[in-house]
Amino acid sequence: MTAFVEPDLSVTGVLGAARGGALATDSETVGTEHLLAGVTGTKGAARDALAAEGATKTALFAVLRDRAGRDDAWANGDDARNAIGARELLGDDADRRVRFTGAARDALTTAMGHARRDDAASFDAAHLLCGLLEGENRAVELLSACGVSPNAVLVRLDGGAGSPEDDLPPLLHATRDVVLGRGHYRHLSFWKRWLVKNTGVNLASRPAQWVGMETYEQAHRLGDGVVGTEHVLLAVLATHEVALRYPHLARERAAGSGTRYSGGERLAHLGVDYASVHRAVTGNRVPLTDDARPVAGYLGRGAASGDAMTDPGTGPLVDTLLNEKTRARQLVEALTAGA
């Protein structure tokens, strides 16, 4: 066998995270999907190339959690029948309890080959990412589930531009970046920002909580000192429209179809979208009277919910906004008048 090339510290971290991910998903062996998810926890070019294409820790872990325990979760078997012990592949310093799928073995072997060609003393996360994306395996399938092209990631890693910018309106980019874990909400305390961004919390699976956070950010972006239901309305529409572009986030462990974002769907059926409300609010096109009660009363427990399974979704919130005397209702009525 060719002499081992040692993993550097970043890959050592990836291997530890991958083993933890395999245990969390009840897998007997570490697969390429676990290694790819581990790369998102590193620092440097490999993680940045993935994140730039939308393959963030938040996105990948959402798909992994959603597929955990499902017999039909993966189309690719990752060559699990040809699993190999870590010490056979990485040397005596490797954890003897760890086994890699055949596809993970191939990816690690390819990464070592890249390091040798670079005349590197060890292989790093960039070498590993190349190894993972040069085969047909679960890592590639995981990217596909996130709507990400492996080739675009490799182009990014090589310093190129990657895939073209998507057609999501620029006004929604900040909302998109937060839900992907590439940004944060400024009004949150430091520890809450850290929790949401660094632990891979998928806000798209908690629409009511996400709307609660987004509401205050909408007010901040508009420079409004008082938060009203017009900002709640903007938040409902922003989160709904972003969720439509990232279905792998929105459907994580969804108990039923068409319920989490029913509030946004109702508004869309009325012909109301984020852009139209934003124009009305920023252009002062609709004279608005005061809300019947403070905005916190509308957000209620949904904004504080931390559990995707108990999050009520946006349906009850929109029902309340449209049934009471709110600034949100006034906007919707003005925008749908004569429709």
Side-chain angles (χ1 to χ4, degrees):
M1 180 177 287
T2 305
F4 296 118
V5 176
E6 296 285 339
D8 73 355
L9 287 176
S10 69
V11 176
T12 299
V14 169
L15 296 175
R19 180 173 183 270
L23 292 175
T25 56
D26 299 322
S27 174
E28 295 181 357
T29 55
V30 172
T32 58
E33 74 274 29
H34 305 123
L35 291 172
L36 183 66
V39 172
T40 65
T42 64
K43 293 183 179 179
R47 182 195 65 179
D48 293 347
L50 287 166
E53 291 297 319
T56 60
K57 176 190 289 188
T58 298
L60 267 58
F61 274 79
V63 175
L64 288 176
R65 286 192 299 265
D66 192 51
R67 295 189 175 196
R70 286 170 38 196
D71 293 336
D72 62 343
W74 298 94
N76 193 299
D78 222 47
D79 195 18
R81 290 177 297 179
N82 291 314
I84 186 174
R87 288 190 172 182
E88 296 177 67
L89 183 62
L90 299 173
D92 291 340
D93 290 336
D95 190 333
R96 62 181 176 80
R97 298 168 296 176
V98 175
R99 293 181 64 77
F100 295 101
T101 64
R105 173 204 62 209
D106 293 344
L108 287 161
T109 302
T110 300
M112 294 178 198
H114 284 305
R116 291 190 189 94
R117 286 191 290 275
D118 290 344
D119 198 25
S122 58
F123 69 99
D124 59 21
H127 294 131
L128 178 56
L129 182 58
C130 288
L132 287 168
L133 302 188
E134 289 177 9
E136 289 297 326
N137 52 43
R138 285 189 177 180
V140 171
E141 186 178 342
L142 179 55
L143 285 186
S144 178
C146 296
V148 174
S149 161
N151 184 63
V153 173
L154 291 173
V155 169
R156 292 268 189 186
L157 187 60
D158 199 37
S163 61
E165 184 64 47
D166 60 37
D167 60 351
L168 191 71
L171 285 173
L172 297 177
H173 285 184
T175 305
R176 184 261 320 269
D177 287 344
V178 168
V179 80
L180 285 176
R182 299 192 305 211
H184 64 267
Y185 286 126
R186 288 164 288 193
H187 70 279
L188 297 180
S189 62
F190 172 80
W191 76 267
K192 284 187 177 180
R193 292 200 305 269
W194 182 91
L195 181 68
V196 171
K197 184 174 182 180
N198 293 302
T199 62
V201 172
N202 177 16
L203 290 176
S205 68
R206 302 161 167 83
Q209 183 187 23
W210 188 15
V211 166
M213 295 181 178
E214 180 71 20
T215 292
Y216 294 94
E217 189 68 14
Q218 289 292 328
H220 179 86
R221 292 172 197 159
L222 293 174
D224 295 339
V226 178
V227 182
T229 58
E230 68 271 33
H231 304 114
V232 181
L233 181 63
L234 285 167
V236 169
L237 291 165
T239 56
H240 176 243
E241 291 174 28
V242 169
L244 288 175
R245 305 298 180 95
Y246 296 91
H248 54 286
L249 295 176
R251 65 172 172 250
E252 183 199 343
R253 295 182 178 176
S257 60
T259 57
R260 281 180 166 171
Y261 290 89
S262 59
E265 291 168 3
R266 178 181 176 184
L267 293 168
H269 289 154
L270 291 172
V272 177
D273 61 11
Y274 182 86
S276 63
V277 174
H278 190 272
R279 284 194 299 270
V281 171
T282 56
N284 296 315
R285 292 169 48 193
V286 181
L288 301 174
T289 60
D290 291 341
D291 288 314
R293 49 194 170 111
V295 72
Y298 294 98
L299 296 175
R301 73 177 181 89
S305 174
D307 185 355
M309 300 304 293
T310 60
D311 188 285
T314 59
L317 174 58
V318 170
D319 288 345
T320 301
L321 290 177
L322 299 185
N323 288 335
E324 293 190 13
K325 180 186 175 184
T326 64
R327 294 163 69 87
R329 175 179 172 178
Q330 294 167 51
L331 281 164
V332 171
E333 289 177 344
L335 290 171
T336 57

